[in-house]
Amino acid sequence: MTQHGTQQPPSTESTAPAPAAIERHRADGLLAFCEAALGAAGADADTAAAASRAMLHGSRFGVDSHGVRLLDHYVTVIAGGRVKGAPDLRFHQGAAAVATLDADHGHGARAAYAAMDLAMEKASLYGIGAVAIRNSSHFGAAGAYALEAAENGFIGLAFCNSDSFVRLHGGAERFHGTNPIAMGVPVRDEDPWLLDMATSAIPYNRVLLYRSLGQALPPEVASDAVGHDTTDPHAVDMLAPLGAAFGFKGAALAGVVEVFSAVLAGARLSFDIAPMGGPDFATPRNVGAFVMALKPGAFVTEMEFDVAMKRYRDTLRASCPAPGDMVMAPGDREWTVAAQRQMEGIPIDPATAEAFDRIATRFALPRPRPVS
Amino acid sequence: MTQHGTQQPPSTESTAPAPAAIERHRADGLLAFCEAALGAAGADADTAAAASRAMLHGSRFGVDSHGVRLLDHYVTVIAGGRVKGAPDLRFHQGAAAVATLDADHGHGARAAYAAMDLAMEKASLYGIGAVAIRNSSHFGAAGAYALEAAENGFIGLAFCNSDSFVRLHGGAERFHGTNPIAMGVPVRDEDPWLLDMATSAIPYNRVLLYRSLGQALPPEVASDAVGHDTTDPHAVDMLAPLGAAFGFKGAALAGVVEVFSAVLAGARLSFDIAPMGGPDFATPRNVGAFVMALKPGAFVTEMEFDVAMKRYRDTLRASCPAPGDMVMAPGDREWTVAAQRQMEGIPIDPATAEAFDRIATRFALPRPRPVS
């Protein structure tokens, strides 16, 4: 969900660009609708606020797979009982600078924002703080929590595991989840540096995009049901780890995320997690996650950090591009999309628009109205 | 420097397998020779021990580019003055769980082992500990320090930056160093899980291997001087970031390493670091690094951690392989190589054997003798 050159399609980790006729909405209207719908489905105020905020992160930055498209799913899992609408979050503090959060099967965003709040508090006191999260659920875009830290002046990291969908290097069955790595770094008076990447070669919604466009996939990004590489998006049964011929690196990075999010948290391992898409929406899944915050001023002076970070990113942006190509820093694409959507509104795909209709009717809520 | 399937060459991050006629040495003989040579070149006892131990990590695990091949270089830089043989390491503790280490332009291994010692001490007290290192120098294989933590019961991470040799995604000039990510995780009663990977698509010594073999490189791993992809190993002027068409991920991971190792440490950014290979061997380079340790028992019970970590790796190793392929966990290949070299001895390439002759003569040291 990060920077890329121009040689590949424009939305690397997001869904297809919206056609001209699509609905566009203001962020505040979407936020209010999401909160009201989640509340009506059984979420307490903190859960509704956290889940809605995380969805708007996705919608704002162009990560539409993790945007308000998820509202329908979240309503289903809260109403169905898989996700507890009013969880009793419990922190276990085994040492001063770390904690484990038992999320009581609440919403992943509720848990992750609370965990990052505690990680930042610990980083303020000890220079670094980390919280492992168990008994959680889908938390949306990992970048939301990394950004939360960066906007508060901390370096923030966020990981999570998820149900198996990515094979190992040399493997022929689903093993890891798409296990994302997110990191945010504050840059004084500027937008943060922001990385949010799956450790799979591509995200699954990219496969769906190629499928709907009737195009062949790039080689070495996905496999069929027996583990053979395939470029046919209809034949895809699992994703490849990042790195193609060097996929042992992507698989190992997925392992880094798995160790932090599941092993260290006491959460379920990816291959033990029930599928996000059901059919069971009543049983908790015990997804894991991990967040960490570091206080730059505990290592160097804030001024040293600010000067170096700005110089690092400025120099990166000015690095000589290949002919016909361009270079971008992590997050640059997202900030550009956010500025554009701030002006033009957030595009809502037809399936999500139709879900809004259903949800509004079901809970007798005013359906959000597109901008003119 | 990690696991991989069988479809690619056998030594992903190491130099070519040794021909049959090559010298083989016992680890203890090499260690003693390295320590004596470094001491004769001006290293204090701690520096000689740390640098030798780090080199033997490389030689033991098959990462020969970071093995005793480096002795000649380390002698050159210590005798030349670039690396201070008797540094005065100074820790600045800006908060309880973190520190910054000014390595006083000493050897990178001396600094990194000392930093990991402090990180483990802090993790024992606070659950997590992190040390950023400035004014350091080449530290060899990052995995040495991650393994040090794992062998002491901690999850350990180690990063470092280095002089520019990897272009950005879409870029046409050297920007980041090969900026490795290493992580070690203890597995009770078994060898640790061990990741040590460059964030470049391939290591440079792999390019040299293809050059010496007269073979074409895989596509999308390296570029010529104007940033065009090349498969001609003789035309390579820079490496590509990990990920090929998704190289924005590899470039961003290099950025993660850069932020921790340089920005947060107050060390030089990769593009400001003088080339490792000289010609100036007198001026300190101010390379950066970063180490972190986490105590599993501060998050979950040690038994929960041990059971989950073993089950995770056992299940990974048993994951169904693609036809004709195999799956391995991070570190499995290294442990296999280490066991083999324990029996057969450590192979020494001809250039390194010749350097041993020169060093032995220069310092009037007994030259290590090959096994039978």
Side-chain angles (χ1 to χ4, degrees):
Chain A
M1 313 178 186
T2 314
Q3 97 281 24
H4 52 76
T6 50
Q7 73 269 33
Q8 73 242 25
S11 294
T12 302
E13 304 256 332
S14 63
T15 44
I22 217 152
E23 285 187 19
R24 287 186 172 271
H25 287 254
R26 283 171 53 106
D28 52 3
L30 292 175
L31 188 72
F33 181 66
C34 289
E35 289 196 8
L38 292 172
D44 61 20
D46 287 341
T47 294
S52 301
R53 195 171 157 216
M55 284 189 274
L56 265 295
H57 172 96
S59 290
R60 184 178 165 214
F61 286 111
V63 191
D64 290 314
S65 57
H66 292 69
V68 294
R69 186 186 78 84
L70 287 168
L71 177 63
D72 195 25
H73 174 77
Y74 290 158
V75 164
T76 300
V77 293
I78 290 173
R82 174 199 283 179
V83 169
K84 205 180 277 188
D88 180 16
L89 303 189
R90 286 186 202 183
F91 288 99
H92 159 74
Q93 308 204 26
V98 306
T100 305
L101 168 58
D102 182 332
D104 190 29
H105 308 297
H107 192 285
R110 170 77 181 95
Y113 278 122
M116 187 56 94
D117 281 348
L118 184 64
M120 291 190 288
E121 188 183 316
K122 290 182 175 300
S124 293
L125 293 168
Y126 304 106
I128 191 168
V131 180
I133 309 170
R134 68 167 84 178
N135 290 327
S136 191
S137 62
H138 190 263
F139 75 7
Y145 316 102
L147 179 60
E148 172 73 2
E151 288 184 334
N152 282 282
F154 297 90
I155 296 175
L157 289 105
F159 306 146
C160 75
N161 75 342
S162 52
D163 48 304
S164 291
F165 198 61
V166 186
R167 64 167 172 80
L168 294 166
H169 186 61
E173 64 181 356
R174 299 175 180 189
F175 188 80
H176 288 119
T178 50
N179 292 15
I181 294 174
M183 177 161 144
V185 185
V187 185
R188 179 166 295 278
D189 300 329
E190 299 181 20
D191 293 324
W193 182 101
L194 181 62
L195 165 67
D196 185 352
M197 56 169 265
T199 52
S200 54
I202 54 166
Y204 183 58
N205 65 303
R206 186 81 174 276
V207 174
L208 298 179
L209 171 60
Y210 277 82
R211 199 178 279 182
S212 72
L213 295 173
Q215 290 181 358
L217 290 166
E220 300 188 282
V221 301
S223 304
D224 63 18
V226 293
H228 284 126
D229 262 0
T230 182
T231 58
D232 174 4
H234 296 277
V236 171
D237 188 70
M238 64 193 85
L239 304 177
L242 174 68
F246 305 90
F248 57 92
K249 295 189 180 186
L253 291 168
V256 169
V257 172
E258 194 77 22
V259 169
F260 279 112
S261 304
V263 179
L264 199 58
R268 212 163 271 178
L269 295 161
S270 284
F271 47 77
D272 292 330
I273 297 176
M276 180 180 173
D280 176 3
F281 293 111
T283 310
R285 301 195 302 150
N286 188 4
V287 174
F290 185 88
V291 299
M292 180 157 58
L294 296 95
K295 183 183 169 185
F299 292 86
V300 286
T301 68
E302 287 187 15
M303 181 176 288
E304 282 177 303
F305 182 85
D306 292 341
V307 168
M309 190 61 205
K310 179 168 164 48
R311 180 154 175 272
Y312 168 58
R313 189 165 68 174
D314 286 351
T315 309
L316 190 157
R317 286 171 174 164
S319 183
C320 176
D325 216 324
M326 63 186 293
V327 295
M328 296 174 85
D332 283 358
R333 179 182 158 275
E334 284 84 346
W335 294 110
T336 304
V337 171
Q340 192 181 0
R341 291 185 170 193
Q342 169 78 20
M343 290 201 317
E344 300 172 2
I346 291 164
I348 301 299
D349 65 272
T352 299
E354 186 256 314
F356 282 4
D357 294 337
R358 274 190 286 108
I359 291 166
T361 303
R362 173 174 177 185
F363 297 121
L365 293 170
R367 203 271 203 195
R369 296 176 55 180
V371 289
S372 52
Chain B
M1 311 178 189
T2 315
Q3 96 282 24
H4 52 75
T6 50
Q7 73 268 37
Q8 73 243 24
S11 295
T12 302
E13 304 256 332
S14 64
T15 45
I22 217 152
E23 286 185 21
R24 287 185 172 272
H25 287 254
R26 285 170 51 103
D28 54 2
L30 292 175
L31 188 72
F33 182 66
C34 288
E35 289 196 9
L38 293 172
D44 61 20
D46 287 340
T47 295
S52 300
R53 195 171 157 215
M55 282 188 277
L56 265 294
H57 172 96
S59 289
R60 182 178 167 215
F61 287 111
V63 191
D64 290 314
S65 57
H66 292 68
V68 294
R69 186 186 76 85
L70 287 168
L71 177 63
D72 195 27
H73 174 77
Y74 289 158
V75 164
T76 300
V77 294
I78 290 172
R82 175 199 281 181
V83 169
K84 205 181 277 188
D88 179 17
L89 303 190
R90 286 185 202 183
F91 288 99
H92 159 73
Q93 307 204 28
V98 306
T100 306
L101 168 58
D102 184 332
D104 190 29
H105 308 297
H107 193 284
R110 169 78 181 93
Y113 278 122
M116 187 56 95
D117 281 347
L118 184 64
M120 291 190 289
E121 189 184 315
K122 290 183 173 299
S124 293
L125 293 169
Y126 305 106
I128 191 168
V131 180
I133 309 170
R134 68 168 83 179
N135 290 327
S136 191
S137 63
H138 190 263
F139 75 8
Y145 316 102
L147 180 60
E148 171 73 3
E151 288 184 333
N152 282 282
F154 297 90
I155 296 176
L157 289 107
F159 307 145
C160 76
N161 75 342
S162 51
D163 48 304
S164 291
F165 199 61
V166 185
R167 64 168 172 79
L168 294 167
H169 185 62
E173 64 180 356
R174 299 175 181 189
F175 189 79
H176 288 119
T178 50
N179 292 16
I181 293 174
M183 178 161 143
V185 184
V187 184
R188 180 167 294 277
D189 300 328
E190 298 181 20
D191 293 324
W193 182 101
L194 181 61
L195 165 68
D196 185 351
M197 58 170 265
T199 51
S200 53
I202 53 167
Y204 183 58
N205 65 304
R206 186 83 174 274
V207 174
L208 297 180
L209 171 60
Y210 277 82
R211 199 179 279 181
S212 72
L213 296 174
Q215 291 180 356
L217 290 166
E220 300 188 282
V221 302
S223 304
D224 64 18
V226 292
H228 285 126
D229 262 0
T230 182
T231 58
D232 175 3
H234 296 278
V236 170
D237 189 68
M238 64 193 86
L239 305 176
L242 173 68
F246 305 90
F248 57 93
K249 295 189 180 185
L253 291 168
V256 169
V257 172
E258 193 76 24
V259 168
F260 279 112
S261 304
V263 179
L264 198 58
R268 212 162 273 176
L269 295 162
S270 284
F271 47 78
D272 292 332
I273 297 176
M276 179 180 174
D280 177 3
F281 293 110
T283 311
R285 300 196 301 150
N286 188 6
V287 174
F290 186 89
V291 298
M292 180 157 56
L294 296 94
K295 183 183 170 187
F299 292 87
V300 286
T301 68
E302 286 187 16
M303 179 175 288
E304 282 177 303
F305 182 85
D306 291 342
V307 168
M309 190 61 205
K310 180 167 165 49
R311 180 153 178 273
Y312 168 59
R313 190 166 67 175
D314 286 350
T315 309
L316 189 157
R317 287 171 173 164
S319 182
C320 175
D325 216 325
M326 63 185 295
V327 295
M328 297 174 84
D332 284 358
R333 178 182 158 274
E334 285 84 345
W335 294 111
T336 305
V337 171
Q340 192 181 2
R341 292 186 169 192
Q342 169 80 21
M343 290 200 319
E344 300 172 2
I346 291 165
I348 302 298
D349 66 273
T352 300
E354 187 257 311
F356 282 5
D357 294 336
R358 274 191 286 108
I359 291 166
T361 303
R362 173 174 177 185
F363 297 121
L365 293 170
R367 203 270 204 195
R369 296 176 55 180
V371 289
S372 56

